[in-house]
């Protein structure tokens, strides 16, 4: 029972944040150390995989060495070279238990059994060399009841893994005429397993689980329809986080998968659309490199790749139809059952390419917001008692935007109440720079200065005003207000409620006013003035130009 307790004792730490090794090799040294395992190790290293093998030829003791336990814990895959005398070694069996416990605790740990000159049915039926090995163990340790039940059960579990992945059908040495082909196949499969791995997501998905579950149901409905789903919402609201979580849960259900992040940013780089196509093909083809010289050539290659297998694609941060055309221009060629998820801030993209479902991401409610802020500011799910009032004020300021809650919560981690109070006062006058820069992406992506000026006018003067009133005022100032407002809605910068009032998230409004504020330190040199203190400074200057400025840019909008 000591072995079982040891495995359970270390299980809680098996899900490690980093991995030192790509591959951990488990083998019977007397059988294959200087032959098959040595060749396999060399091939893995030459392929670029950090591979751990125990080269210690010293007489082994009764228990597994701590460094071996750490190596198993910090490896992404374990390759078990199951040779004829593998089960003869108590050491190997204990090592196997640790590997399978690592697999049980961490689902993304890959275990690859390699049946080297062994019939897999011997493992399933506990016959042949295995039966002889267990008989020897029982004769040498007659009091060890585990040997009669625990290890045979463990080996049957190993066989079940092999069946699930159909490993022994690929790796059975009897199916290969040469060991070199056998080893190349192992290296190839390891490469495929390592490349298809989960993406990094926050440890705490506050308020996201119901959204993720809804999308999982859509992906797992068993339909042969080629489905396109759009995740839509403003910057910083959690679209990419939701998409990553859904991807992690589902990518192994498909024959090919790809998550392409920051498409908007990549597409702006030289030959950016081609780079997107190259990454997508590399992912779907599991590492095989395809040379592409132009977008049209890439579309031909993609059409060939997607027509023969069910694929799952996530296209993150798409903001223009051209970025979709290079991938989805051949939608009818997708293999039945393929699924595509798109994240975007652009409402117009909801109407293109036969979108089958739209998921609009809403801001967090107050309870969710307070919990998310608390994890980042206090390391727990609720505020410290003395900080409750200030936490609630900060939640109000963030307006349910996860980005703001994370940024501001982390910035105040470990700070005194005095610092919290001062930070809240500062935020009333000066928005947080990191949040402004994230939100400004939508403003900068507006198509022209006309729409950018219109956005700044609304942010400074017209929040909560009736749409027709705004149109009447700004059309008189040579704006094309109706189409301009529609462009702002398209970028998630403004919304219109059921009473035809124009609204803007408080942080987006703050971002707009900060853009104006940064035009100059002197209020009279800025393009707009809305704050009473700035207005007084402007009016107190004995300057006709300043007076005209105020009448033009402030009083005319009252």
């Amino acid at each position: 029972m000591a072995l079982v307790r040891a495995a359970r004792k270390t299980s809680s730490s098996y899900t490690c944040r980093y991995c030192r090794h790509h591959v951990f090799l488990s083998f019977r040294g007397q059988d294959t150390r200087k032959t098959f395992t040595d060749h396999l190790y060399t091939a893995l290293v030459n392929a670029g995989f950090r591979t751990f093998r125990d080269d210690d030829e010293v007489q082994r003791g009764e228990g597994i060495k701590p460094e071996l336990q750490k190596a198993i814990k910090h490896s992404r895959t374990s390759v078990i070279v199951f040779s004829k005398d593998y089960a003869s070694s108590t050491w190997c069996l204990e090592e196997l238990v640790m590997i399978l416990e690592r697999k049980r605790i961490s689902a993304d740990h890959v275990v690859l059994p390699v049946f080297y000159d062994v019939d897999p049915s011997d493992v399933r039926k506990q016959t042949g060399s295995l039966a002889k090995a267990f008989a020897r163990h029982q004769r040498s340790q007659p009091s060890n009841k585990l040997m009669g039940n625990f290890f045979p059960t463990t080996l049957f579990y190993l066989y079940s893994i092999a069946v699930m992945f159909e490993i022994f059908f690929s790796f059975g040495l009897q199916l290969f005429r040469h060991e070199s082909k056998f080893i190349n196949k192992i290296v190839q499969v390891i490469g495929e397993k390592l490349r298809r791995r989960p993406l990094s997501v926050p440890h705490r998905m506050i308020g996201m689980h119901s959204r993720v579950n809804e999308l999982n149901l859509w992906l797992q409905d068993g339909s042969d329809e080629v489905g396109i789903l759009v995740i839509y919402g403003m910057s910083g609201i959690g679209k990419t986080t939701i998409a990553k979580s859904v991807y992690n849960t589902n990518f192994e259900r498909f024959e090919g998968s790809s998550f392409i992040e920051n498409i908007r940013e990549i597409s702006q780089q030289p030959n950016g659309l081609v780079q997107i196509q190259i990454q997508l093909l590399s992912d779907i083809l599991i590492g095989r490199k395809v040379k592409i010289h132009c977008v049209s050539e890439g579309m031909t290659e993609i059409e060939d790749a997607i027509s023969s297998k069910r694929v799952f694609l996530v296209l993150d941060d798409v903001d223009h139809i051209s970025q979709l055309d290079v991938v989805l221009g051949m939608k009818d060629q997708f293999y039945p059952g393929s699924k595509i998820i798109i994240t975007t801030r652009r409402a117009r993209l909801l109407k293109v390419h036969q979108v089958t479902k739209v998921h609009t991401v809403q801001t967090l409610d107050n309870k969710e917001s307070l919990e998310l802020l608390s994890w980042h500011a206090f390391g727990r799910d609720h505020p410290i008692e003395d900080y409750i009032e200030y936490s609630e004020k900060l939640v109000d300021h963030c307006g349910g935007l996860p980005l703001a809650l994370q940024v501001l919560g982390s910035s105040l981690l470990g700070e005194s109440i005095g610092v919290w109070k001062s930070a809240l006062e500062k935020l009333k006058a000066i928005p947080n720079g990191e949040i402004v820069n994230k939100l400004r992406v939508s403003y900068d992506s507006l198509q022209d200065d006309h729409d950018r000026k219109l956005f700044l006018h609304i942010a400074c003067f017209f929040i909560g005003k009736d749409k027709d009133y705004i149109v009447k005022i700004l059309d008189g100032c040579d704006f094309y207000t109706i189409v301009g407002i529609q462009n702002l809605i398209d970028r998630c910068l403004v919304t219109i409620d059921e009473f035809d009032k124009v609204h803007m998230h408080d942080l987006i409004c703050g971002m707009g006013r900060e853009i104006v504020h940064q035009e100059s330190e002197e209020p009279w040199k800025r393009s707009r003035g809305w704050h009473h203190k700035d207005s007084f400074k402007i009016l107190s200057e004995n300057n006709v130009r300043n007076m005209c400025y105020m009448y033009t840019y402030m009083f005319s909008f009252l």
Side-chain angles (χ1 to χ4, degrees), residues 230-250:
V230 176
I231 302 176
Y232 169 71
M234 64 182 287
S235 296
I237 205 165
K239 302 183 297 296
T240 299
T241 299
I242 292 171
K244 285 182 176 180
S245 182
V246 171
Y247 179 84
N248 287 348
T249 303
N250 295 279

Side-chain angles (χ1 to χ4, degrees), residues 263-376:
I263 285 181
R264 176 192 58 81
E265 183 178 337
I266 295 173
S267 66
Q268 294 172 353
Q269 300 172 3
N271 223 22
L273 294 178
V274 171
Q275 295 304 314
I276 291 170
Q277 292 178 322
I278 290 173
Q279 180 186 336
L280 184 144
L281 284 167
S282 177
D283 291 343
I284 292 178
L285 300 175
I286 315 178
R288 181 163 68 84
K289 300 299 182 182
V290 178
K291 291 185 178 180
I292 298 174
H293 301 94
C294 62
V295 168
S296 58
E297 183 181 357
M299 292 179 69
T300 301
E301 294 287 349
I302 291 173
E303 182 177 338
D304 182 63
I306 64 176
S307 61
S308 59
K309 60 172 68 174
R310 289 175 66 249
V311 297
F312 177 31
L313 310 181
V314 179
L315 310 178
D316 173 60
D317 195 17
V318 176
D319 77 340
H320 198 275
I321 187 65
S322 64
Q323 298 159 10
L324 290 181
D325 285 339
V326 300
V327 176
L328 302 183
M330 67 297 291
K331 178 180 182 291
D332 294 338
Q333 300 302 317
F334 275 91
Y335 194 84
S338 295
K339 304 294 182 183
I340 302 99
I341 289 180
I342 301 162
T343 75
T344 186
R345 296 182 302 272
R346 295 215 51 193
R348 287 191 182 126
L349 294 182
L350 309 183
K351 304 174 184 178
V352 302
H353 285 303
Q354 305 173 46
V355 171
T356 56
K357 184 176 177 63
V358 174
H359 180 85
T360 303
V361 184
Q362 305 294 341
T363 53
L364 302 179
D365 61 31
N366 280 351
K367 181 180 178 181
E368 294 168 337
S369 297
L370 188 60
E371 183 179 355
L372 181 59
L373 175 74
S374 297
W375 278 116
H376 287 275

Side-chain angles (χ1 to χ4, degrees), residues 51-69:
T51 306
F52 181 94
R53 67 172 175 180
D54 180 23
D55 280 325
D56 189 0
E57 295 286 357
V58 179
Q59 181 68 35
R60 292 171 168 179
E62 294 182 356
I64 289 183
K65 294 182 294 185
E67 54 265 37
L68 281 184
Q69 295 181 21

Side-chain angles (χ1 to χ4, degrees), residues 82 87 106 119 221 229 247 252 254 260 320 354 408 425:
F82 203 91
S106 180
D119 188 339
D221 65 359
L229 180 146
Y247 179 84
E252 289 187 329
F254 295 81
I260 304 180
H320 198 275
Q354 305 173 46
L408 296 178
E425 292 299 320

Side-chain angles (χ1 to χ4, degrees), residues 9-10 13 15-16 32 57 152 268 305 315 342 372 414 515 537:
K9 183 178 180 181
T10 58
S13 59
T15 307
C16 56
T32 64
E57 295 286 357
Q268 294 172 353
L315 310 178
I342 301 162
L372 181 59
I515 290 172
K537 289 180 181 178

